[in-house]
Amino acid sequence: MGIITVERIAELIEEAPGWALVALTMPQEGLREAARHEVASYVYNSLYALPVDGGEQLPLPL
């Protein structure tokens, strides 16, 4: 996990699902709430996700 910056958060918001970004402007409160949670979940999970083992590191013998 790197340093959390305003720029990184802005990038993640831009990468959030399109429906959620559009739904943030809808007049229905329920849809706006669902969109807020979707965007927040996307940003949170992107910032705090555990690194995935890509198998790029060679195992060392013990």
Side-chain angles (χ1 to χ4, degrees):
M1 180 177 81
I3 297 174
I4 299 172
T5 63
V6 172
E7 290 80 17
R8 179 68 179 134
I9 294 171
E11 288 172 4
L12 291 171
I13 291 171
E14 188 175 271
E15 295 169 5
W19 76 264
L21 297 175
V22 171
L24 288 172
T25 64
M26 293 292 146
Q28 297 88 358
E29 178 59 32
L31 193 53
R32 287 195 316 266
E33 182 177 350
R36 285 192 302 268
H37 286 161
E38 181 69 23
V39 172
S41 293
Y42 181 82
V43 170
Y44 179 86
N45 290 330
S46 296
L47 289 173
Y48 296 107
L50 294 175
V52 177
D53 180 18
E56 297 173 11
Q57 185 174 358
L58 297 174
L60 297 175
L62 295 177

